[in-house]
């Protein structure tokens, strides 16, 4: 996996670089600001970009802007956002460029190197990885008259798990229910949200995120 990393803190940038290399991945570039990130993404065209949202010079959303601009020029470029903050607007702006190969992970939740690498690999493969807190903000941010409000509390939990990229087995384990019960909840969710049924977990996640983004 060929990776471009954008992180302004040297120690974190160096640490993530070493972690990626330890798992056999190649870091094409490790930059610390938005302009260099955009240049690296459009010229090197990595398999995935791991991007801190807030980068110099203003430390507002330079990382996000560079990633969104690069995905416009390189359609389908996988991007995993890293942030200290839960900001649904960032997720919406990234999803607006396409729901395949996108992710939004909170730095404070990264506590396991292998799981973090697995998350990056999932996004690189065209999947989705959204932090549960981000998904929750996306879901609760919808207006009252939208179909999401027809979901039961349990169906909302299942929807959030779907958006995180969990399979039926993973959801069953997380919610302490049977896979059969999960399948029923998933069916109800897509019926209520008027989404067509799909065969793979990844496609279901993409359908959910496409709905959340509209």
């Amino acid at each position: 996996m060929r990776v471009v990393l954008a992180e302004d803190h040297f120690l974190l940038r160096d640490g993530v670089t070493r972690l990626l290399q330890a798992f056999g991945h190649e870091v094409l570039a490790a930059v610390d600001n938005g302009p260099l990130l955009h240049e690296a993404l459009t010229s090197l065209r990595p398999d995935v970009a791991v991007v801190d949202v807030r980068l110099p010079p203003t430390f507002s959303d330079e990382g996000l802007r560079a990633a969104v601009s690069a995905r416009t020029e390189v359609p389908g470029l996988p991007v995993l956002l890293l942030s200290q903050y839960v900001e649904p607007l960032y997720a919406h702006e990234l999803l607006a460029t396409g729901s395949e190969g996108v992710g939004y992970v909170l730095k404070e939740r990264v506590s396991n190197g292998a799981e973090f690498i697995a998350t990056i690999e999932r996004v690189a493969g065209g999947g989705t990885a959204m932090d549960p807190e981000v998904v929750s903000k996306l879901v609760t941010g919808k207006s009252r008259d939208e179909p999401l409000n027809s979901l039961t509390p349990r169906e909302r939990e299942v929807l959030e798990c779907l958006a995180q990229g969990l399979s039926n087995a993973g959801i069953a384990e997380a919610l302490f229910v049977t896979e059969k019960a999960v399948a029923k909840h998933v069916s109800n969710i897509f019926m209520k949200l008027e989404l067509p049924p799909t065969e793979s977990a990844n496609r279901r996640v993409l359908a959910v995120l496409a709905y959340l983004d509209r």
Side-chain angles (χ1 to χ4, degrees):
M1 188 168 65
R2 301 160 62 252
V3 184
V4 164
L5 170 66
E7 168 60 55
D8 60 300
H9 291 286
F10 168 75
L11 289 178
L12 185 54
R13 186 170 67 248
D14 187 62
V16 174
T17 297
R18 291 174 184 270
L19 180 64
L20 284 162
Q21 292 171 338
F23 278 80
H25 300 304
E26 180 183 4
V27 178
L28 300 176
V31 301
D32 63 0
N33 64 72
L36 286 179
L37 171 61
H38 182 270
E39 180 182 349
L41 293 179
T42 55
S43 62
L44 300 176
R45 304 203 171 198
D47 298 320
V48 62
V50 180
V51 178
D52 184 8
V53 170
R54 300 187 179 189
L55 293 174
T58 67
F59 294 97
S60 56
D61 60 358
E62 284 86 351
L64 172 68
R65 297 296 173 199
V68 168
S69 177
R71 272 175 69 90
T72 302
E73 297 179 39
V74 186
L77 173 68
V79 173
L80 174 65
L81 295 180
L82 279 176
S83 179
Q84 294 176 275
Y85 310 97
V86 179
E87 179 48 75
L89 180 60
Y90 294 160
H92 274 290
E93 292 199 27
L94 183 61
L95 287 166
T97 64
S99 57
E100 294 187 9
V102 294
Y104 187 149
V105 173
L106 297 180
K107 291 180 178 178
E108 65 182 20
R109 292 186 187 275
V110 178
S111 60
N112 183 297
E115 290 181 2
F116 181 53
I117 292 297
T119 298
I120 296 173
E121 291 173 342
R122 185 197 307 169
V123 172
T128 307
M130 305 297 285
D131 186 275
E133 194 169 346
V134 175
V135 174
S136 179
K137 287 286 184 72
L138 285 169
V139 171
T140 57
K142 294 293 181 180
S143 63
R144 291 183 178 280
D145 59 350
E146 290 187 338
L148 280 171
N149 292 290
S150 67
L151 301 183
T152 65
R154 175 61 84 184
E155 288 166 351
R156 281 178 171 270
E157 292 178 329
V158 173
L159 174 61
E160 292 179 14
C161 288
L162 282 173
Q164 293 166 37
L166 296 182
S167 65
N168 278 10
I171 296 172
E173 182 179 357
L175 300 182
F176 302 103
V177 297
T178 65
E179 287 190 52
K180 184 177 180 180
V182 172
K184 182 178 180 180
H185 287 311
V186 170
S187 177
N188 288 340
I189 289 169
F190 285 115
M191 179 185 69
K192 291 181 178 180
L193 300 186
E194 300 179 354
L195 294 170
T198 58
E199 296 181 354
S200 72
N202 187 50
R203 290 180 62 192
R204 289 183 304 174
V205 172
L206 297 180
V208 172
L209 290 178
Y211 171 80
L212 293 173
D213 189 47
R214 72 185 186 180

